[in-house]
Amino acid sequence: MFFNKKKKNESDSFDLVKIAALLIHAAKIDEKYSMEEEEIIKKTLLNLGTNQNELETIINEAKQSEKNTNQILDFTKEIKRLQEKDKIKIIRSLWRIIYSNKDADIYETNLMRRLSGLLYIDSKTMGDIKEQIKKENL
């Protein structure tokens, strides 16, 4: 029993690194990575259950992971397995990152279109979240 619990926690940490890497990728895709975007990433990770003490380690590992790959499939494999409510939290955060500078460029919108399919999020849900976040940032 103890072994399984330890293994699950290691797996959770791995999932959080992949989630953070995807969020960082979205923040960097417009080549304007800001502290505001990093704060959104941190809040998202905390909201998903990251321990405050592990936050910086996860962020640093995620930055390295994002830097070393050019495939978003590496990040989305883990996210696909999450519950729908956690996927929606991640999608909301991705849109918050994108609209943190009040505008979405073609690379950001293309990323979100691809993620919609990869994470099995229907286009209506994706569009509704996008519009809600867009209005929050006006």
Side-chain angles (χ1 to χ4, degrees):
M1 188 84 156
F2 178 76
F3 180 74
N4 288 341
K5 184 173 183 167
K6 184 176 181 187
K7 189 167 184 150
K8 183 183 184 314
N9 288 341
E10 288 171 2
S11 174
D12 288 348
S13 178
F14 180 73
D15 292 347
L16 291 169
V17 170
K18 293 296 185 180
I19 292 166
L22 178 61
L23 295 169
I24 289 166
H25 181 73
K28 287 183 169 184
I29 204 163
D30 66 354
E31 298 181 359
K32 300 174 193 166
Y33 187 71
S34 70
M35 291 307 296
E36 182 179 355
E37 290 170 323
E38 188 155 317
E39 285 304 311
I40 293 168
I41 293 166
K42 288 178 180 179
K43 286 178 186 175
T44 301
L45 293 173
L46 290 170
N47 193 356
L48 291 170
T50 302
N51 181 324
Q52 181 71 40
N53 298 331
E54 298 174 336
L55 188 59
E56 288 303 319
T57 302
I58 290 171
I59 295 281
N60 290 334
E61 287 178 23
K63 285 179 180 178
Q64 194 62 39
S65 177
E66 191 276 336
K67 183 178 171 182
N68 291 332
T69 189
N70 60 1
Q71 296 282 329
I72 62 170
L73 289 174
D74 290 343
F75 310 138
T76 59
K77 273 191 288 190
E78 301 298 325
I79 298 169
K80 273 191 236 185
R81 300 179 190 151
L82 296 176
Q83 294 179 8
E84 189 73 16
K85 67 181 175 85
D86 289 332
K87 284 184 194 179
I88 297 300
K89 287 178 188 178
I90 293 166
I91 295 298
R92 285 185 185 287
S93 295
L94 287 162
W95 281 119
R96 279 190 180 100
I97 288 166
I98 289 168
Y99 281 108
S100 67
N101 65 355
K102 309 289 186 239
D103 194 27
D105 69 22
I106 59 171
Y107 300 109
E108 292 167 325
T109 53
N110 182 40
L111 172 68
M112 294 306 289
R113 195 174 312 112
R114 290 178 18 222
L115 287 173
S116 176
L118 290 170
L119 299 177
Y120 309 123
I121 305 291
D122 66 85
S123 56
K124 179 179 180 353
T125 301
M126 186 66 89
D128 290 348
I129 294 169
K130 174 185 175 183
E131 289 306 312
Q132 181 186 25
I133 301 302
K134 192 175 179 180
K135 286 177 186 175
E136 287 175 10
N137 284 293
L138 292 177

